[in-house]
Amino acid sequence: MNGLSLKQTKRLYWASGIVSICGIIFEVLFGALGSYILGDGVKQYTLTIALFLTGMGIGAFISEKVTKGLIRAFIIIEFLIALVGGMSSFLLFGVTAYLPEGSDALFLYLVIIIVGGLTGLELPLLIRKANDIGEEVNRSTARVLFSDYSGGLIGGLLFAFWMRPTFGMVKTAFVVAIVNLAVSLWMLVSFKSEIRGFKYLSFVGGVIGILLLIGLFFGDEQAFLFEQKLYKDPIVYSKETKYQHIIITKEQGDTRLFLDGNLQFSSSDEYRYHEVLVHPTVALAEHPQKVLILGGGDGLATRELLKYPDIRSIQLVDLDPAMTHLAKTNPLLTTLNKEALMNSKVHIKNEDAFEYLKGSRALYDVILIDLPDPNNTNLNKLYTEEFYSLVRNHLSPTGAMMVQATSPTFATKVYWTIDKTVKATGLHTAQLHVDVPSFGDWGFVLAARHSFSVSDIHISDAISTKFLNDTTLRSLTAFSKDIDAKIYQEGKRVELQPNTLIHPNIIEMYQQAWLYY
């Protein structure tokens, strides 16, 4: 092999590594987009992997039909990946905003198959080209595959820890597409002497590059306008964090917080939710001095707790530091939470709630579980018997805990499964539900180590509330026949089972329950 051939072969190996990085980033990006736009992260990542690999298989099969102009074919493939992949996130937001329901899923899955198919075409062409140059078949295959697989690892790490938090999902797609385009132009120059239509390809590559640069610098702004169509009120804050997409909207005095598209509160009625979450729990606890909040990064539950002078410390555990930072600094949130997270009694730890409980030995008099609904595997573990057992172990003998437990009206089976799961740990429970206009009917499970009755709980007159008093609290325990604990399906009584890590039955229930809402 002469010097020029050796240099070209090395460039092929480098190209395979770089495009594999791009391929894996596109794959996980599509999974993230599916989770955000369509919900059910496990389902969307599963479908993404399955469709992407199917596309790669189709592409690999088609590659054997390409017998001439291997580098030229590779360059055209990279042009297409750059164009389709780069525009994917941007266009998906547009499809979601303007086209009928279901169009977004169809569009995303089609893009996944197309990009997967084009990715499957890449490697066979590079391997065969390396072999044509003079490498032994076994050696060229092994080296190209090594570059591809090791590049996949790098791509996954880059997306998870740098690109998504830094650029967001729209810019990430354009950045990766530009890298794909740069590789194709590098190959175009490296193999200039053997490529037919060099000037034409250079021109096409330049046009695609201009489109991608326009998208990189202006795509976020247009995608923001698309996203605005998904929300009733004007978006005043939008941030893609390492863990979630945070949106704040505001219209005529009503501030709303959304996480990954799901409403967390409306300022017009959030007090109903947070008063029920906090005050019965504090009233049930015999000596409410130490409090643990799992979730609640918006600071609204903390605001209610700070009404009690006897509470000495509040440990708030929320996964996302961006959320707690926002709750301490954003004027819309600090006005609502009364700067609660800045209080000297409050200690914030940004950590997974499950891991925090495993690593801590502290006991608490009041534990509030104010976590998002169990709509994916990561959240499901925070609604399992194993998790509630950990919570129980941190609850003082005379303490009390409250769990937000989704809607007993919209997700009746899910609500009573959560109640049964808490009971499976040996705790005594009581069931409450409250009408929150922005949410609808919302449920809670109150629990303690000792037996108790809600009728014996008294809300202190010294505590300022807008909604809750003793009479109202009693009324929250009444469940109509269609949403009580007796679940019937096709005329037969359904015996619900506790939700566990091994048998996560709550996820499918939840998805089915909210399918038409």
Side-chain angles (χ1 to χ4, degrees), residues 95-109:
V95 168
T96 304
Y98 290 103
L99 294 188
E101 185 177 352
S103 302
D104 46 7
L106 181 62
F107 175 81
L108 178 60
Y109 299 152

Side-chain angles (χ1 to χ4, degrees), residues 5 13 247 278 291 347 359 386 434 440 481 504:
S5 297
Y13 297 149
I247 292 283
V278 173
V291 180
H347 310 280
E386 293 86 346
V434 60
K481 289 176 64 176

Side-chain angles (χ1 to χ4, degrees), residues 255-257 259 263-283 291 293-308 316 318 323 327 333 336-337 340-341 366-372 402-404 432-440 442-444 446 459 463-469 473 476:
T255 300
R256 298 191 174 208
L257 172 70
L259 299 180
L263 177 65
Q264 303 303 301
F265 71 76
S266 165
S267 63
S268 63
D269 55 29
E270 55 80 15
Y271 62 89
R272 283 177 163 244
Y273 173 98
H274 291 101
E275 286 182 9
V276 176
L277 176 72
V278 173
H279 299 301
T281 323
V282 176
V291 180
I293 307 175
L294 302 175
D298 51 39
L300 299 177
T302 305
R303 176 199 66 200
E304 295 300 311
L305 287 167
L306 289 173
K307 294 177 179 179
Y308 294 88
L316 188 146
D318 190 281
M323 184 65 246
L333 296 188
L336 282 174
N337 64 34
L341 298 190
V366 172
I367 300 179
L368 305 177
I369 304 178
D370 187 19
L371 297 163
M402 183 76 88
V403 182
Q404 91 78 13
L432 307 170
H433 66 126
V434 60
D435 179 48
V436 183
S438 61
F439 275 62
W442 214 257
F444 299 85
L446 179 62
I459 307 301
I463 301 302
S464 171
T465 60
K466 293 182 179 181
F467 167 73
L468 195 63
N469 57 30
L473 178 59
L476 302 184

Side-chain angles (χ1 to χ4, degrees), residues 179-192:
V179 174
N180 271 106
L181 181 65
V183 170
S184 66
L185 296 177
W186 182 37
M187 290 294 100
L188 182 62
V189 173
S190 298
F191 292 86
K192 177 180 179 180

Side-chain angles (χ1 to χ4, degrees), residues 109-362:
Y109 299 152
L110 182 62
V111 167
I112 292 170
I113 291 176
I114 291 172
V115 175
L118 293 170
T119 302
L121 273 165
E122 293 172 335
L123 277 188
L125 298 183
L126 292 178
I127 290 170
R128 285 158 56 194
K129 183 59 183 179
N131 183 46
D132 287 349
I133 290 174
E135 277 280 9
E136 296 177 11
V137 174
N138 291 340
R139 183 181 297 177
S140 63
T141 301
R143 289 183 177 180
V144 171
L145 289 176
F146 171 77
S147 299
D148 178 69
Y149 295 153
S150 58
L153 171 63
I154 295 169
L157 294 175
L158 281 174
F159 178 80
F161 295 103
W162 180 55
M163 299 195 78
R164 179 182 173 179
T166 303
F167 299 113
M169 288 188 276
V170 173
K171 276 192 176 180
T172 291
F174 284 117
V175 169
V176 178
I178 287 170
V179 174
N180 271 106
L181 181 65
V183 170
S184 66
L185 296 177
W186 182 37
M187 290 294 100
L188 182 62
V189 173
S190 298
F191 292 86
K192 177 180 179 180
S193 60
E194 62 181 83
I195 294 177
R196 177 172 52 86
F198 174 82
K199 291 183 179 179
Y200 173 73
L201 290 175
S202 299
F203 173 77
V204 172
V207 171
I208 294 174
I210 292 171
L211 289 175
L212 294 179
L213 287 172
I214 292 173
L216 179 64
F217 290 108
F218 302 105
D220 255 355
E221 296 177 12
Q222 185 59 52
F224 179 83
L225 296 178
F226 291 155
E227 189 175 42
Q228 178 66 74
K229 293 286 184 180
L230 305 178
Y231 295 89
K232 177 183 176 182
D233 301 329
I235 295 173
V236 295
Y237 180 89
S238 176
K239 182 177 177 63
E240 185 76 28
T241 78
K242 182 179 178 181
Y243 301 102
Q244 59 199 345
H245 193 174
I246 302 173
I247 292 283
I248 297 176
T249 67
K250 183 174 173 57
E251 176 68 21
Q252 296 181 350
D254 182 25
T255 300
R256 298 191 174 208
L257 172 70
F258 297 82
L259 299 180
D260 286 339
N262 299 309
L263 177 65
Q264 303 303 301
F265 71 76
S266 165
S267 63
S268 63
D269 55 29
E270 55 80 15
Y271 62 89
R272 283 177 163 244
Y273 173 98
H274 291 101
E275 286 182 9
V276 176
L277 176 72
V278 173
H279 299 301
T281 323
V282 176
L284 178 59
E286 192 170 320
H287 301 290
Q289 297 181 348
K290 290 185 64 178
V291 180
L292 172 65
I293 307 175
L294 302 175
D298 51 39
L300 299 177
T302 305
R303 176 199 66 200
E304 295 300 311
L305 287 167
L306 289 173
K307 294 177 179 179
Y308 294 88
D310 290 341
I311 290 178
R312 295 179 181 176
S313 69
I314 300 170
Q315 177 68 66
L316 188 146
V317 179
D318 190 281
L319 180 63
D320 194 347
M323 184 65 246
T324 51
H325 176 75
L326 189 67
K328 290 193 291 184
T329 58
N330 184 280
L332 292 172
L333 296 188
T334 56
T335 299
L336 282 174
N337 64 34
K338 301 186 184 302
E339 300 184 343
L341 298 190
M342 300 298 289
N343 192 285
S344 59
K345 292 182 179 181
V346 180
H347 310 280
I348 299 172
K349 195 168 185 66
N350 296 117
E351 187 178 349
D352 177 82
F354 203 107
E355 295 303 314
Y356 173 80
L357 293 174
K358 285 168 60 178
S360 172
R361 295 183 179 181

